[in-house]
């Protein structure tokens, strides 16, 4: 490769590197949250009841929405911002978008695990869901829901989530970070209490009159 060719390729490589760095930065700054910031998730297990299935013993597709609701309420309880707290803060949070994709059926008597994970919160409340078979771990259903804050007094939709949500999420994240640090931080041993493996053993003190 000639020096001229190498020089001509440098701008393209620089642009590609810059694009990769920009993409990585955008992903890290998604929702203005650092990549290491914990986001809450909750899982509930349940057994598909008889009254939820059709004549083929398969859960009717509409009941899956209720399964998601149960997991969502557990997650909101973790933040201390379930529907009663929403109402007390002056906001309703109606669902404006709900999507489900069925990969496999849930059947009568089957134990399933429903996981809800907070995905977005700054301008809307978006949760992702996965339903799996407890025994095999096979994914049965995935989906997401989107809710927005609406003032109870004026019925106006907010373009940004209110502090009632963001402050609770920040408090939960802080508590999780403290818990994680306390579990992973190495204990600081007292140097005076640390035994030197190479040092000779110290004989035990003798008692009585020398």
């Amino acid at each position: 490769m000639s020096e001229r060719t190498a020089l001509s390729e440098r701008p393209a490589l620089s642009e590609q590197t810059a694009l990769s760095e920009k993409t990585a930065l955008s992903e890290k700054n998604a929702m203005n949250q650092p990549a290491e910031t914990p986001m809450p998730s909750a899982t509930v297990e349940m057994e598909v009841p008889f009254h939820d299935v059709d004549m083929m013993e398969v859960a009717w597709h509409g009941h899956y929405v209720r399964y998601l609701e149960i997991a969502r309420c557990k997650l909101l309880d973790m933040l201390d911002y379930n529907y009663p707290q929403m109402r007390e803060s002056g906001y309703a949070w109606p669902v404006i978008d709900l999507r489900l994709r069925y990969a496999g059926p849930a059947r009568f008597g089957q134990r399933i695990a429903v996981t809800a994970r907070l995905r977005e919160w700054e301008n809307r409340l978006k949760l992702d869901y996965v339903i799996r078979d407890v025994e095999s771990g096979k994914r049965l259903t995935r989906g997401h829901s989107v809710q927005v804050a609406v003032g109870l007094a004026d019925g106006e939709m907010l373009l940004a989530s209110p502090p009632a949500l963001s402050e609770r999420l920040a408090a939960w994240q802080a508590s999780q970070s403290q818990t994680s640090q306390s579990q992973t931080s190495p204990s600081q041993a007292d140097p005076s209490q640390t035994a030197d493996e190479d040092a000779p053993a110290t004989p035990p003190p003798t008692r009585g009159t020398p």
Side-chain angles (χ1 to χ4, degrees), residues 80-98:
D80 189 30
Y81 198 57
N82 210 332
Y83 291 102
Q85 291 79 22
M86 290 178 177
R87 184 174 59 248
E88 292 172 1
S89 67
Y91 301 100
W93 288 81
V95 174
I96 63 170
D97 189 17
L98 176 65

Side-chain angles (χ1 to χ4, degrees), residues 38-178:
M39 296 298 282
S41 65
T43 299
V44 295
E45 291 189 7
M46 63 187 70
E47 183 175 301
V48 178
F50 176 74
H51 56 74
D52 278 2
V53 302
D54 56 21
M55 63 179 299
M56 303 302 293
E57 297 188 355
V58 172
W60 178 60
H61 66 276
H63 289 309
Y64 287 76
V65 178
R66 177 163 51 86
Y67 304 157
L68 305 187
E69 185 77 39
I70 295 173
R72 179 165 71 242
C73 284
K74 182 175 182 179
L75 186 149
L76 294 174
D77 278 335
M78 294 169 56
L79 301 178
D80 189 30
Y81 198 57
N82 210 332
Y83 291 102
Q85 291 79 22
M86 290 178 177
R87 184 174 59 248
E88 292 172 1
S89 67
Y91 301 100
W93 288 81
V95 174
I96 63 170
D97 189 17
L98 176 65
R99 302 188 186 186
L100 289 172
R101 185 174 181 85
Y102 303 94
R107 301 182 180 277
F108 170 55
Q110 182 178 9
R111 288 203 61 80
I112 58 175
V114 188
T115 299
R117 177 178 174 81
L118 181 61
R119 184 62 60 186
E120 298 179 24
W121 61 272
E122 287 187 315
N123 303 104
R124 59 183 185 171
L125 192 62
K126 182 178 181 180
L127 278 73
D128 291 341
Y129 306 93
V130 176
I131 300 179
R132 297 183 183 275
D133 174 69
V134 170
E135 183 176 354
S136 66
K138 179 182 178 182
R139 189 183 69 191
L140 305 176
T141 309
R142 62 183 173 88
H144 72 256
S145 65
V146 176
Q147 297 168 259
V148 293
V150 175
L152 293 176
D154 54 15
E156 294 292 329
M157 183 181 74
L158 276 67
L159 299 180
S161 297
L165 171 62
S166 57
E167 291 174 358
R168 284 174 167 85
L169 176 59
W172 180 89
Q173 290 174 332
S175 66
Q176 293 299 303
S177 297
Q178 293 175 358

